[in-house]
Amino acid sequence: MKLASIAMLAVVAGLYGCATTESQDSSTTGATPSASASTSGGVTPGTARAPARMGAGFAGTTPGTRPDLKYSVYFEYDQYDVRPEYRALVESHARWLKANPQARLVIEGNADERGSREYNVALGQRRAESVTKMLVLLGAKAEQIEAVSWGEEKPRSTGHDDKSWSENRRDDFVQR
């Protein structure tokens, strides 16, 4: 267990070392819930969608207010490691959870349709747990977060092509 904690800390440290220093154009980072749930081009995998009210992060919001926390982290095929471009999004959620200790967050892991149902449920769970571990390492309390898997049962896109599959390989942040 101690070795696993050290390994996860090394992963997070590696993500900090790999981060780019590019600033995001605020006109492209805002997202509405309907746009992030759209199947007609609303979400581009590989592009972190930051909340429109984020400012300095969720920690900058008034404690107790409920920002829209339904955002997604996308994954490569058959992978569950958090890609560097989603680090800022995960950090924002961790800051918000730290500033709002009464808040609860569900990380819903998803997979595309390829593979067996059992495999996809397990992969979705590993994805959700990966983001959960990162949130905890960034200071959120484990009891604030629940990791669940939907496997292939809740696709964002119903197509049977690479673009559709890439939209379905994700974790969704859902506030409870």
Side-chain angles (χ1 to χ4, degrees), residues 85-102:
E85 61 263 34
Y86 296 104
R87 190 191 80 204
L89 181 65
V90 176
E91 287 173 345
S92 295
H93 282 79
R95 282 192 303 273
W96 189 82
L97 286 168
K98 284 171 49 176
N100 297 281
Q102 78 290 352

Side-chain angles (χ1 to χ4, degrees), residues 2-165:
K2 195 172 200 175
L3 184 58
S5 297
I6 292 170
M8 189 58 172
L9 186 56
V11 168
V12 171
L15 289 174
Y16 280 107
C18 295
T20 62
T21 57
E22 297 176 33
S23 63
Q24 291 182 329
D25 178 3
S26 62
S27 67
T28 61
T29 58
T32 62
S34 59
S36 65
S38 170
T39 59
S40 59
V43 173
T44 303
T47 304
R49 309 272 327 227
R53 294 187 283 164
M54 192 166 103
F58 289 121
T61 63
T62 306
T65 61
R66 182 180 173 174
D68 183 5
L69 287 177
K70 186 161 183 166
Y71 293 94
S72 300
V73 171
Y74 292 89
F75 297 89
E76 294 293 331
Y77 174 71
D78 203 30
Q79 299 293 313
Y80 57 91
D81 52 324
V82 178
R83 295 173 11 201
E85 61 263 34
Y86 296 104
R87 190 191 80 204
L89 181 65
V90 176
E91 287 173 345
S92 295
H93 282 79
R95 282 192 303 273
W96 189 82
L97 286 168
K98 284 171 49 176
N100 297 281
Q102 78 290 352
R104 300 294 178 260
L105 193 62
V106 177
I107 309 299
E108 296 181 344
N110 296 274
D112 63 39
E113 65 186 14
R114 297 172 292 175
S116 70
R117 288 186 186 272
E118 295 81 11
Y119 180 80
N120 288 335
V121 167
L123 180 58
Q125 188 67 33
R126 286 191 300 272
R127 289 174 173 164
E129 289 172 358
S130 177
V131 170
T132 298
K133 288 177 186 175
M134 190 176 211
L135 287 166
V136 170
L137 285 170
L138 291 167
K141 294 190 181 341
E143 46 284 348
Q144 290 180 280
I145 310 161
E146 180 183 2
V148 299
S149 176
W150 290 107
E152 62 192 76
E153 299 302 315
K154 288 195 172 188
R156 179 162 288 157
S157 180
T158 57
H160 305 288
D161 55 23
D162 287 334
K163 182 181 183 304
S164 298
W165 293 328

